[in-house]
Amino acid sequence: MRLFVGIALSPEAAAALSGVRALLASSGPELRWSEPHGWHVTLQFLGEVTEPRAAMVAERLATVKADPVPVRIAELGFFERAGVFFAGVALTPELLALEQRVVAAMRACGFTPEPRRYNPHITLARAKGRGGARELAPLKKALERRPIDLAAKFVAEEFLLYESIPGPAGSRNEVKARFSLCAGNGEGPAHTTPAPE
């Protein structure tokens, strides 16, 4: 199974991004837009994991100690080489601390952290082909003509272990386990709740 750790968006934040999608979806016919129910902020991508190792991952994530995390979505941007249109997430001290604690917990399970600096974002659309910058160009022009003032924020009170399941219409994410972030929990263990079957 293909796993990653992330934060789900609040309904209000998802609604704000849905408004952006509705305004811009017609600007990029060569783009594959992600579905709102799949939007999330990745903390760490784990990749292919066996069932026994997945159980170890959940056990280790349950030991992560952190307070609730303010999440602020503040800008729209592009990873041109990868052909990705995204909403940027402010790297607050709380979010960075949670990411570092998750990475440390996963290192104990044998996962190597990415060498790149953590860059939290929400992927909104991807180019369908391999001409990333070229396929993003109509969307970039649409944003230049009509800039969007995006401001959405919420407080995450949990983080999640997801399984990414590939399909003909793109991957869908299934929640495998939830881990609470409780006030004053910077020193106490996270509470874990298995996702319903």
Side-chain angles (χ1 to χ4, degrees):
M1 67 182 75
R2 199 164 177 250
L3 300 182
F4 67 91
V5 186
I7 293 172
L9 302 192
S10 69
E12 296 79 12
L17 290 179
S18 292
V20 170
R21 175 182 160 152
L23 282 171
L24 297 174
S26 62
S27 303
E30 297 303 315
L31 301 181
R32 185 174 67 244
W33 290 82
S34 57
E35 295 299 324
H37 60 77
W39 289 337
H40 62 276
V41 181
T42 301
L43 293 167
Q44 186 175 7
F45 179 73
L46 304 178
E48 290 295 331
V49 179
T50 62
E51 288 279 358
R53 200 175 185 201
M56 184 193 308
V57 163
E59 286 175 12
R60 290 297 303 171
L61 288 175
T63 69
V64 171
K65 307 167 185 178
D67 293 329
V69 174
V71 178
R72 183 167 53 86
I73 305 166
E75 61 186 6
L76 298 170
F78 299 88
F79 297 135
E80 294 196 28
R81 188 176 296 176
V84 170
F85 171 53
F86 67 88
V89 175
L91 187 55
T92 61
E94 296 90 344
L95 179 56
L96 181 59
L98 176 59
E99 183 264 348
Q100 289 174 340
R101 290 170 184 174
V102 165
V103 167
M106 294 300 90
R107 187 180 282 115
C109 296
F111 294 97
T112 305
E114 284 198 30
R116 291 176 295 180
R117 188 176 70 86
Y118 181 49
N119 183 10
H121 62 277
I122 299 148
T123 299
L124 300 179
R126 295 180 182 275
K128 289 182 179 178
R130 297 190 178 185
R134 178 175 45 79
E135 294 178 39
L136 292 172
L139 185 57
K140 288 189 77 173
K141 287 179 182 173
L143 275 173
E144 287 166 5
R145 287 193 305 268
R146 185 179 180 180
I148 294 174
D149 183 19
L150 176 64
K153 60 184 178 180
F154 65 98
V155 176
E157 296 184 347
E158 65 177 3
F159 67 99
L160 301 92
L161 176 63
Y162 290 95
E163 179 180 2
S164 177
I165 302 170
S171 297
R172 66 180 175 84
N173 300 327
E174 183 177 291
V175 177
K176 303 297 286 182
R178 299 173 180 272
F179 306 92
S180 293
L181 299 169
C182 301
N185 199 21
E187 298 302 322
H191 171 69
T192 179
T193 305
E197 294 296 328

